[in-house]
Amino acid sequence: MKHGKKYTDSKKLIDPLKYYEAAEAIELVKQTGKAKFDETVELSIRLGVDPRHADQQVRGAVVLPHGTGKTVRVLVFAKGPKAEEAKAAGADFVGDMDMVQKIQQENWFGFDVCVATPDMMGVVGRIGRILGPKGLMPNPKSGTVTMDVTKAISDIKAGKVEYRVDKTAIAHCPIGKVSFESEKLSENLTALMEAIIKAKPATAKGTYVKSLYLSTTMGPSIRLNTTKF
């Protein structure tokens, strides 16, 4: 794969054999964000689990202390008083069967996160095959199936991120933007790692955090020293 000049120049700043400490890696990742837009800083975590086993799934959510720097559009499936509560809490879209039909018939995905009250999951389940592959299906473990829609919406708007290992046992999570101060990126990184370590399955054996890489949207990856975590 051929990369552009900015990517190539950024890669020259990184020692591929070095395991960087978090503070140094954050300073370096800010230097590699050379795109014309404010790039997202992402952490990629490879864990020592076997996702094929249900008891070794690592999934959850955490509210980053300084948010992600991204404006998140929230769709809430609710009706009656809970629908009104969701609107008052700042949900971007609220509905029930009308939203299901909009997604089914118009292939509409003008939202980033989907929240549902438990009584609406029968309705939402009709589009599970559409939402699931896109990672948009509400889930109790991530706090998106709840009666407390106000808290769910405020957490998401404040910078709540979900983490979930894929079939290769890797999770990818944003921790902010290149424009963030280094200290804020560091605190977001620490909060995310604390949540993932806390979510370690009891059945996971051996080394839990196998590798960590930090990168920007368009930049090369930087390998982190995992021993701190």
mmCIF file of all heavy atoms in Angstrom, residues 45-59 141 163-172 199 201 203-205 207-208 210:
data_model
loop_
_atom_site.group_PDB
_atom_site.id
_atom_site.type_symbol
_atom_site.label_atom_id
_atom_site.label_comp_id
_atom_site.label_asym_id
_atom_site.label_seq_id
_atom_site.Cartn_x
_atom_site.Cartn_y
_atom_site.Cartn_z
ATOM 1 N N ILE A 45 -6.413 -1.754 21.236
ATOM 2 C CA ILE A 45 -5.997 -2.616 22.339
ATOM 3 C C ILE A 45 -6.187 -4.074 21.944
ATOM 4 O O ILE A 45 -7.290 -4.490 21.605
ATOM 5 C CB ILE A 45 -6.840 -2.338 23.604
ATOM 6 C CG1 ILE A 45 -6.900 -0.843 23.897
ATOM 7 C CG2 ILE A 45 -6.324 -3.111 24.797
ATOM 8 C CD1 ILE A 45 -8.277 -0.255 23.749
ATOM 9 N N ARG A 46 -5.110 -4.850 22.008
ATOM 10 C CA ARG A 46 -5.237 -6.299 21.780
ATOM 11 C C ARG A 46 -5.190 -6.994 23.133
ATOM 12 O O ARG A 46 -4.234 -6.828 23.885
ATOM 13 C CB ARG A 46 -4.121 -6.827 20.876
ATOM 14 C CG ARG A 46 -4.306 -8.315 20.510
ATOM 15 C CD ARG A 46 -3.415 -8.703 19.346
ATOM 16 N NE ARG A 46 -2.012 -8.666 19.699
ATOM 17 C CZ ARG A 46 -1.314 -9.717 20.148
ATOM 18 N NH1 ARG A 46 -1.907 -10.884 20.302
ATOM 19 N NH2 ARG A 46 -0.035 -9.590 20.437
ATOM 20 N N LEU A 47 -6.237 -7.754 23.422
ATOM 21 C CA LEU A 47 -6.365 -8.393 24.732
ATOM 22 C C LEU A 47 -6.141 -9.906 24.666
ATOM 23 O O LEU A 47 -6.396 -10.530 23.628
ATOM 24 C CB LEU A 47 -7.752 -8.119 25.311
ATOM 25 C CG LEU A 47 -8.099 -6.642 25.565
ATOM 26 C CD1 LEU A 47 -9.541 -6.502 26.028
ATOM 27 C CD2 LEU A 47 -7.149 -6.016 26.580
ATOM 28 N N GLY A 48 -5.702 -10.436 25.774
ATOM 29 C CA GLY A 48 -5.458 -11.880 25.862
ATOM 30 C C GLY A 48 -6.721 -12.642 26.229
ATOM 31 O O GLY A 48 -6.777 -13.288 27.282
ATOM 32 N N VAL A 49 -7.731 -12.539 25.371
ATOM 33 C CA VAL A 49 -8.991 -13.255 25.575
ATOM 34 C C VAL A 49 -9.351 -13.994 24.292
ATOM 35 O O VAL A 49 -8.810 -13.701 23.227
ATOM 36 C CB VAL A 49 -10.142 -12.287 25.957
ATOM 37 C CG1 VAL A 49 -9.848 -11.604 27.288
ATOM 38 C CG2 VAL A 49 -10.373 -11.242 24.869
ATOM 39 N N ASP A 50 -10.266 -14.927 24.419
ATOM 40 C CA ASP A 50 -10.760 -15.653 23.258
ATOM 41 C C ASP A 50 -12.232 -15.283 23.053
ATOM 42 O O ASP A 50 -13.109 -15.821 23.726
ATOM 43 C CB ASP A 50 -10.626 -17.161 23.461
ATOM 44 C CG ASP A 50 -10.963 -17.959 22.204
ATOM 45 O OD1 ASP A 50 -11.554 -17.364 21.266
ATOM 46 O OD2 ASP A 50 -10.639 -19.158 22.154
ATOM 47 N N PRO A 51 -12.518 -14.330 22.135
ATOM 48 C CA PRO A 51 -13.892 -13.849 21.944
ATOM 49 C C PRO A 51 -14.878 -14.914 21.486
ATOM 50 O O PRO A 51 -16.084 -14.677 21.501
ATOM 51 C CB PRO A 51 -13.723 -12.758 20.864
ATOM 52 C CG PRO A 51 -12.266 -12.426 20.853
ATOM 53 C CD PRO A 51 -11.575 -13.688 21.223
ATOM 54 N N ARG A 52 -14.376 -16.073 21.090
ATOM 55 C CA ARG A 52 -15.285 -17.145 20.676
ATOM 56 C C ARG A 52 -16.069 -17.695 21.865
ATOM 57 O O ARG A 52 -17.120 -18.303 21.688
ATOM 58 C CB ARG A 52 -14.501 -18.278 20.009
ATOM 59 C CG ARG A 52 -13.870 -17.901 18.677
ATOM 60 C CD ARG A 52 -13.002 -19.022 18.137
ATOM 61 N NE ARG A 52 -11.887 -19.308 19.039
ATOM 62 C CZ ARG A 52 -11.000 -20.279 18.821
ATOM 63 N NH1 ARG A 52 -11.113 -21.040 17.743
ATOM 64 N NH2 ARG A 52 -10.012 -20.491 19.686
ATOM 65 N N HIS A 53 -15.548 -17.469 23.064
ATOM 66 C CA HIS A 53 -16.215 -17.929 24.281
ATOM 67 C C HIS A 53 -17.019 -16.785 24.892
ATOM 68 O O HIS A 53 -16.494 -15.689 25.097
ATOM 69 C CB HIS A 53 -15.201 -18.446 25.292
ATOM 70 C CG HIS A 53 -14.379 -19.605 24.788
ATOM 71 N ND1 HIS A 53 -14.940 -20.832 24.476
ATOM 72 C CD2 HIS A 53 -13.057 -19.712 24.515
ATOM 73 C CE1 HIS A 53 -13.984 -21.658 24.058
ATOM 74 N NE2 HIS A 53 -12.832 -20.990 24.057
ATOM 75 N N ALA A 54 -18.261 -17.046 25.201
ATOM 76 C CA ALA A 54 -19.154 -16.011 25.742
ATOM 77 C C ALA A 54 -18.622 -15.412 27.040
ATOM 78 O O ALA A 54 -18.807 -14.220 27.302
ATOM 79 C CB ALA A 54 -20.545 -16.592 25.963
ATOM 80 N N ASP A 55 -17.934 -16.238 27.843
ATOM 81 C CA ASP A 55 -17.440 -15.740 29.127
ATOM 82 C C ASP A 55 -16.111 -14.987 29.002
ATOM 83 O O ASP A 55 -15.528 -14.573 30.000
ATOM 84 C CB ASP A 55 -17.299 -16.887 30.139
ATOM 85 C CG ASP A 55 -16.337 -17.975 29.675
ATOM 86 O OD1 ASP A 55 -15.810 -17.874 28.545
ATOM 87 O OD2 ASP A 55 -16.109 -18.931 30.443
ATOM 88 N N GLN A 56 -15.643 -14.786 27.762
ATOM 89 C CA GLN A 56 -14.428 -14.002 27.560
ATOM 90 C C GLN A 56 -14.676 -12.783 26.661
ATOM 91 O O GLN A 56 -13.747 -12.186 26.125
ATOM 92 C CB GLN A 56 -13.306 -14.866 26.986
ATOM 93 C CG GLN A 56 -12.779 -15.878 27.986
ATOM 94 C CD GLN A 56 -11.441 -16.467 27.580
ATOM 95 O OE1 GLN A 56 -10.569 -15.787 27.065
ATOM 96 N NE2 GLN A 56 -11.281 -17.763 27.824
ATOM 97 N N GLN A 57 -15.936 -12.429 26.520
ATOM 98 C CA GLN A 57 -16.268 -11.209 25.786
ATOM 99 C C GLN A 57 -15.931 -10.003 26.669
ATOM 100 O O GLN A 57 -16.226 -10.008 27.855
ATOM 101 C CB GLN A 57 -17.762 -11.184 25.448
ATOM 102 C CG GLN A 57 -18.164 -12.143 24.344
ATOM 103 C CD GLN A 57 -17.735 -11.649 22.971
ATOM 104 O OE1 GLN A 57 -17.571 -10.453 22.744
ATOM 105 N NE2 GLN A 57 -17.565 -12.567 22.048
ATOM 106 N N VAL A 58 -15.296 -9.019 26.106
ATOM 107 C CA VAL A 58 -15.001 -7.788 26.845
ATOM 108 C C VAL A 58 -15.777 -6.669 26.173
ATOM 109 O O VAL A 58 -15.501 -6.298 25.031
ATOM 110 C CB VAL A 58 -13.489 -7.467 26.851
ATOM 111 C CG1 VAL A 58 -13.231 -6.150 27.591
ATOM 112 C CG2 VAL A 58 -12.699 -8.603 27.490
ATOM 113 N N ARG A 59 -16.770 -6.166 26.884
ATOM 114 C CA ARG A 59 -17.627 -5.129 26.313
ATOM 115 C C ARG A 59 -18.134 -4.222 27.423
ATOM 116 O O ARG A 59 -18.445 -4.676 28.514
ATOM 117 C CB ARG A 59 -18.813 -5.760 25.586
ATOM 118 C CG ARG A 59 -19.754 -4.744 24.961
ATOM 119 C CD ARG A 59 -20.850 -5.412 24.172
ATOM 120 N NE ARG A 59 -21.660 -4.423 23.468
ATOM 121 C CZ ARG A 59 -22.626 -4.720 22.613
ATOM 122 N NH1 ARG A 59 -22.920 -5.978 22.367
ATOM 123 N NH2 ARG A 59 -23.309 -3.763 22.007
ATOM 124 N N LYS A 141 -25.466 -3.821 28.515
ATOM 125 C CA LYS A 141 -24.091 -3.762 29.019
ATOM 126 C C LYS A 141 -23.428 -2.417 28.755
ATOM 127 O O LYS A 141 -22.540 -2.001 29.496
ATOM 128 C CB LYS A 141 -23.246 -4.885 28.399
ATOM 129 C CG LYS A 141 -23.597 -6.269 28.906
ATOM 130 C CD LYS A 141 -22.656 -7.309 28.352
ATOM 131 C CE LYS A 141 -22.977 -8.701 28.892
ATOM 132 N NZ LYS A 141 -22.072 -9.732 28.327
ATOM 133 N N TYR A 163 -16.547 0.175 24.279
ATOM 134 C CA TYR A 163 -15.435 -0.671 23.854
ATOM 135 C C TYR A 163 -15.949 -2.101 23.734
ATOM 136 O O TYR A 163 -16.780 -2.546 24.514
ATOM 137 C CB TYR A 163 -14.264 -0.590 24.829
ATOM 138 C CG TYR A 163 -14.609 -0.894 26.261
ATOM 139 C CD1 TYR A 163 -14.631 -2.202 26.739
ATOM 140 C CD2 TYR A 163 -14.921 0.129 27.155
ATOM 141 C CE1 TYR A 163 -14.969 -2.489 28.045
ATOM 142 C CE2 TYR A 163 -15.253 -0.146 28.475
ATOM 143 C CZ TYR A 163 -15.272 -1.450 28.919
ATOM 144 O OH TYR A 163 -15.614 -1.727 30.211
ATOM 145 N N ARG A 164 -15.461 -2.778 22.735
ATOM 146 C CA ARG A 164 -15.886 -4.161 22.507
ATOM 147 C C ARG A 164 -14.838 -4.869 21.651
ATOM 148 O O ARG A 164 -14.450 -4.353 20.590
ATOM 149 C CB ARG A 164 -17.234 -4.185 21.784
ATOM 150 C CG ARG A 164 -17.773 -5.591 21.546
ATOM 151 C CD ARG A 164 -19.082 -5.539 20.791
ATOM 152 N NE ARG A 164 -19.680 -6.858 20.630
ATOM 153 C CZ ARG A 164 -20.798 -7.110 19.994
ATOM 154 N NH1 ARG A 164 -21.468 -6.108 19.426
ATOM 155 N NH2 ARG A 164 -21.272 -8.332 19.897
ATOM 156 N N VAL A 165 -14.378 -6.014 22.103
ATOM 157 C CA VAL A 165 -13.383 -6.734 21.317
ATOM 158 C C VAL A 165 -14.045 -7.346 20.089
ATOM 159 O O VAL A 165 -15.181 -7.813 20.151
ATOM 160 C CB VAL A 165 -12.679 -7.836 22.137
ATOM 161 C CG1 VAL A 165 -11.786 -7.239 23.208
ATOM 162 C CG2 VAL A 165 -13.673 -8.814 22.738
ATOM 163 N N ASP A 166 -13.331 -7.327 18.973
ATOM 164 C CA ASP A 166 -13.834 -7.971 17.768
ATOM 165 C C ASP A 166 -13.387 -9.433 17.773
ATOM 166 O O ASP A 166 -12.855 -9.929 18.774
ATOM 167 C CB ASP A 166 -13.355 -7.226 16.507
ATOM 168 C CG ASP A 166 -11.825 -7.150 16.401
ATOM 169 O OD1 ASP A 166 -11.126 -7.969 17.044
ATOM 170 O OD2 ASP A 166 -11.330 -6.274 15.666
ATOM 171 N N LYS A 167 -13.579 -10.123 16.670
ATOM 172 C CA LYS A 167 -13.270 -11.560 16.645
ATOM 173 C C LYS A 167 -11.769 -11.847 16.741
ATOM 174 O O LYS A 167 -11.362 -12.975 16.979
ATOM 175 C CB LYS A 167 -13.852 -12.202 15.380
ATOM 176 C CG LYS A 167 -13.311 -11.639 14.080
ATOM 177 C CD LYS A 167 -14.013 -12.294 12.892
ATOM 178 C CE LYS A 167 -13.492 -11.736 11.564
ATOM 179 N NZ LYS A 167 -14.178 -12.348 10.411
ATOM 180 N N THR A 168 -10.942 -10.800 16.565
ATOM 181 C CA THR A 168 -9.490 -10.974 16.700
ATOM 182 C C THR A 168 -9.005 -10.495 18.074
ATOM 183 O O THR A 168 -7.814 -10.331 18.301
ATOM 184 C CB THR A 168 -8.735 -10.212 15.591
ATOM 185 O OG1 THR A 168 -9.027 -8.810 15.694
ATOM 186 C CG2 THR A 168 -9.149 -10.699 14.212
ATOM 187 N N ALA A 169 -9.938 -10.228 18.990
ATOM 188 C CA ALA A 169 -9.646 -9.784 20.361
ATOM 189 C C ALA A 169 -9.043 -8.384 20.419
ATOM 190 O O ALA A 169 -8.270 -8.065 21.325
ATOM 191 C CB ALA A 169 -8.751 -10.790 21.078
ATOM 192 N N ILE A 170 -9.394 -7.557 19.441
ATOM 193 C CA ILE A 170 -8.901 -6.172 19.418
ATOM 194 C C ILE A 170 -10.082 -5.216 19.569
ATOM 195 O O ILE A 170 -11.146 -5.423 18.988
ATOM 196 C CB ILE A 170 -8.151 -5.869 18.103
ATOM 197 C CG1 ILE A 170 -6.897 -6.741 17.991
ATOM 198 C CG2 ILE A 170 -7.766 -4.387 18.022
ATOM 199 C CD1 ILE A 170 -6.173 -6.621 16.666
ATOM 200 N N ALA A 171 -9.876 -4.168 20.364
ATOM 201 C CA ALA A 171 -10.879 -3.116 20.530
ATOM 202 C C ALA A 171 -10.280 -1.798 20.054
ATOM 203 O O ALA A 171 -9.098 -1.528 20.290
ATOM 204 C CB ALA A 171 -11.302 -3.003 21.986
ATOM 205 N N HIS A 172 -11.074 -0.989 19.379
ATOM 206 C CA HIS A 172 -10.637 0.322 18.894
ATOM 207 C C HIS A 172 -11.512 1.387 19.540
ATOM 208 O O HIS A 172 -12.746 1.325 19.440
ATOM 209 C CB HIS A 172 -10.767 0.420 17.373
ATOM 210 C CG HIS A 172 -10.026 -0.656 16.623
ATOM 211 N ND1 HIS A 172 -8.682 -0.569 16.326
ATOM 212 C CD2 HIS A 172 -10.434 -1.852 16.134
ATOM 213 C CE1 HIS A 172 -8.300 -1.658 15.675
ATOM 214 N NE2 HIS A 172 -9.356 -2.460 15.547
ATOM 215 N N ALA A 199 -12.870 -4.642 33.405
ATOM 216 C CA ALA A 199 -13.770 -5.566 32.698
ATOM 217 C C ALA A 199 -13.115 -6.903 32.369
ATOM 218 O O ALA A 199 -13.705 -7.726 31.661
ATOM 219 C CB ALA A 199 -14.265 -4.907 31.412
ATOM 220 N N PRO A 201 -12.302 -10.533 32.108
ATOM 221 C CA PRO A 201 -13.071 -11.734 32.459
ATOM 222 C C PRO A 201 -12.299 -12.613 33.445
ATOM 223 O O PRO A 201 -11.073 -12.727 33.350
ATOM 224 C CB PRO A 201 -13.241 -12.450 31.111
ATOM 225 C CG PRO A 201 -12.934 -11.431 30.066
ATOM 226 C CD PRO A 201 -11.933 -10.504 30.684
ATOM 227 N N THR A 203 -12.210 -15.678 33.522
ATOM 228 C CA THR A 203 -11.682 -16.867 32.840
ATOM 229 C C THR A 203 -10.471 -16.569 31.955
ATOM 230 O O THR A 203 -9.876 -17.482 31.399
ATOM 231 C CB THR A 203 -12.783 -17.502 31.966
ATOM 232 O OG1 THR A 203 -13.327 -16.495 31.100
ATOM 233 C CG2 THR A 203 -13.891 -18.078 32.824
ATOM 234 N N ALA A 204 -10.119 -15.284 31.803
ATOM 235 C CA ALA A 204 -8.970 -14.917 30.966
ATOM 236 C C ALA A 204 -7.674 -15.303 31.672
ATOM 237 O O ALA A 204 -7.464 -14.964 32.836
ATOM 238 C CB ALA A 204 -8.988 -13.426 30.668
ATOM 239 N N LYS A 205 -6.824 -16.017 30.972
ATOM 240 C CA LYS A 205 -5.564 -16.484 31.546
ATOM 241 C C LYS A 205 -4.378 -15.801 30.856
ATOM 242 O O LYS A 205 -4.471 -15.373 29.713
ATOM 243 C CB LYS A 205 -5.437 -18.004 31.403
ATOM 244 C CG LYS A 205 -6.611 -18.799 31.997
ATOM 245 C CD LYS A 205 -6.760 -18.575 33.486
ATOM 246 C CE LYS A 205 -7.931 -19.386 34.043
ATOM 247 N NZ LYS A 205 -8.162 -19.107 35.480
ATOM 248 N N THR A 207 -1.337 -13.072 30.008
ATOM 249 C CA THR A 207 -1.264 -11.617 29.858
ATOM 250 C C THR A 207 -2.583 -11.084 29.309
ATOM 251 O O THR A 207 -3.056 -11.544 28.272
ATOM 252 C CB THR A 207 -0.112 -11.224 28.901
ATOM 253 O OG1 THR A 207 1.100 -11.777 29.393
ATOM 254 C CG2 THR A 207 0.019 -9.718 28.806
ATOM 255 N N TYR A 208 -3.150 -10.117 29.996
ATOM 256 C CA TYR A 208 -4.448 -9.567 29.589
ATOM 257 C C TYR A 208 -4.284 -8.486 28.520
ATOM 258 O O TYR A 208 -4.877 -8.564 27.443
ATOM 259 C CB TYR A 208 -5.167 -9.009 30.813
ATOM 260 C CG TYR A 208 -6.530 -8.408 30.523
ATOM 261 C CD1 TYR A 208 -7.508 -9.128 29.823
ATOM 262 C CD2 TYR A 208 -6.852 -7.126 30.966
ATOM 263 C CE1 TYR A 208 -8.755 -8.580 29.566
ATOM 264 C CE2 TYR A 208 -8.102 -6.577 30.714
ATOM 265 C CZ TYR A 208 -9.050 -7.301 30.015
ATOM 266 O OH TYR A 208 -10.284 -6.753 29.769
ATOM 267 N N LYS A 210 -2.192 -7.280 25.795
ATOM 268 C CA LYS A 210 -1.082 -7.798 24.986
ATOM 269 C C LYS A 210 -0.366 -6.710 24.195
ATOM 270 O O LYS A 210 0.855 -6.738 24.055
ATOM 271 C CB LYS A 210 -1.597 -8.887 24.034
ATOM 272 C CG LYS A 210 -2.042 -10.141 24.770
ATOM 273 C CD LYS A 210 -1.836 -11.366 23.907
ATOM 274 C CE LYS A 210 -1.887 -12.634 24.725
ATOM 275 N NZ LYS A 210 -1.544 -13.813 23.922
#
